[in-house]
Amino acid sequence: MKYIYRVYQIFVALPIIIVLTLLTSITTSIGCTLGNGHFWGYYPPVIWSSWVLKVLFLPVRVTGRENLKHGESYVFVSNHQGAFDIFLIFGHLHRNFKWMMKRELRKIPFVGFACEKSHQIFVDRRTPGKVKDTYDKARHTLKDGMSLVVFPEGSRTYDGRMGKFKRGAFMLADELQLPVVPLTINGSFDVMPRTSKWYWVKCRRLTLTIHAPIYPETQGAENVSRLMDESYKAIHSGLDEKYK
């Protein structure tokens, strides 16, 4: 069965995913150029992400959507197990948001241009001025009622376990006095580990756990540390035992 699935990936799934990616990138880019970037920057990628998972027969389970309030802006923070985290969150969070992502991703053909046109937030740490510009854009986005998704580890895990969190997302939430919502992802590391020598997808269940929002109690360094610590504990509590 493993080899049948690999043949399917090469001759069926891969061509479909390439076509879906191109169509989504073009649709998003054109739509955002014409206007209403909040719509075109979200709904085409949601359809794309959902269909990528369906084409690969990856089952998905989501819990905790009842923790979110309609119309409220959040800073979502998630562990980063693998490349399929993006498809899982985009396709199944059911919340309009922008990504905070590495600036290197802008170089990906078609996708990077679509991300730029849809006003995703590229993190540029080359100089203090670039960092300031990044967070100024994030502040403007969140003030428009939009939510933000951040991987505070900064990169994918090498072993399925969580790494240390960076403070940037929590400082932004503190400054704007927005609630932080921890997200726990399980299974993405098993689908395609970062350390894999070959890019074969393994058919494993993906799960997304949406934890209760953590609201600011004060403002300043103490609140930043509390948001970061409580988020880490919440995400860690939802991990499968083998990832703890």
Side-chain angles (χ1 to χ4, degrees):
M1 184 62 70
K2 178 176 73 174
Y3 296 105
I4 293 175
Y5 187 46
R6 288 184 175 181
V7 170
Y8 169 81
Q9 288 179 48
I10 295 173
F11 294 104
V12 180
L14 181 60
I16 292 174
I17 291 171
I18 290 173
V19 171
L20 285 173
T21 301
L22 290 174
L23 289 175
T24 301
S25 299
I26 293 169
T27 301
T28 298
S29 299
I30 293 175
C32 290
T33 300
L34 295 176
N36 197 356
H38 287 348
F39 177 89
W40 293 104
Y42 176 69
Y43 289 101
V46 166
I47 296 170
W48 166 68
S49 298
S50 298
W51 273 101
V52 167
L53 298 180
K54 289 177 180 178
V55 167
L56 290 167
F57 303 117
L58 298 176
V60 173
R61 180 168 61 88
V62 181
T63 60
R65 286 202 189 103
E66 68 277 4
N67 289 321
L68 305 180
K69 295 180 181 179
H70 179 72
E72 187 165 23
S73 292
Y74 297 107
V75 176
F76 293 98
V77 294
S78 173
N79 62 315
H80 201 2
Q81 281 202 344
F84 280 81
D85 298 343
I86 294 170
F87 301 115
L88 179 61
I89 293 176
F90 235 152
H92 294 276
L93 183 58
H94 292 184
R95 198 79 178 193
N96 202 332
F97 66 86
K98 301 296 182 185
W99 290 101
M100 184 172 279
M101 58 180 65
K102 295 180 179 179
R103 67 180 179 87
E104 289 81 5
L105 297 177
R106 186 187 274 122
K107 299 177 182 179
I108 299 176
F110 295 98
V111 174
F113 181 74
C115 288
E116 184 172 3
K117 297 299 291 184
S118 59
H119 307 294
Q120 309 302 325
I121 301 166
F122 293 98
V123 180
D124 192 337
R125 296 190 174 93
R126 287 177 293 178
T127 66
K130 297 288 187 182
V131 173
K132 182 180 183 299
D133 290 343
T134 296
Y135 284 99
D136 285 344
K137 183 176 181 181
R139 291 185 196 99
H140 177 74
T141 298
L142 289 168
K143 285 179 180 177
D144 288 341
M146 185 65 57
S147 291
L148 184 69
V149 174
V150 185
F151 294 119
E153 293 166 274
S155 60
R156 289 171 290 159
T157 176
Y158 282 98
D159 59 5
R161 296 175 175 83
M162 283 202 301
K164 293 182 179 180
F165 282 1
K166 295 178 173 63
R167 299 173 66 87
F170 306 98
M171 293 173 64
L172 186 64
D174 172 73
E175 180 180 334
L176 299 178
Q177 290 291 280
L178 290 174
V180 174
V181 178
L183 304 174
T184 301
I185 291 174
N186 282 296
S188 181
F189 182 76
D190 295 329
V191 170
M192 185 184 287
R194 182 176 183 177
T195 54
S196 176
K197 294 181 179 179
W198 301 94
Y199 293 104
W200 297 114
V201 173
K202 297 179 181 178
C203 192
R204 301 288 188 272
R205 179 181 294 276
L206 294 165
T207 65
L208 176 65
T209 303
I210 304 169
H211 298 277
I214 303 170
Y215 288 87
E217 293 180 354
T218 57
Q219 191 167 21
E222 183 178 341
N223 186 54
V224 172
S225 295
R226 183 185 66 86
L227 292 174
M228 186 164 64
D229 291 344
E230 291 189 17
S231 296
Y232 191 97
K233 291 176 182 177
I235 296 170
H236 189 268
S237 71
L239 288 172
D240 292 342
E241 286 298 325
K242 62 183 177 180
Y243 298 137
K244 290 184 178 181

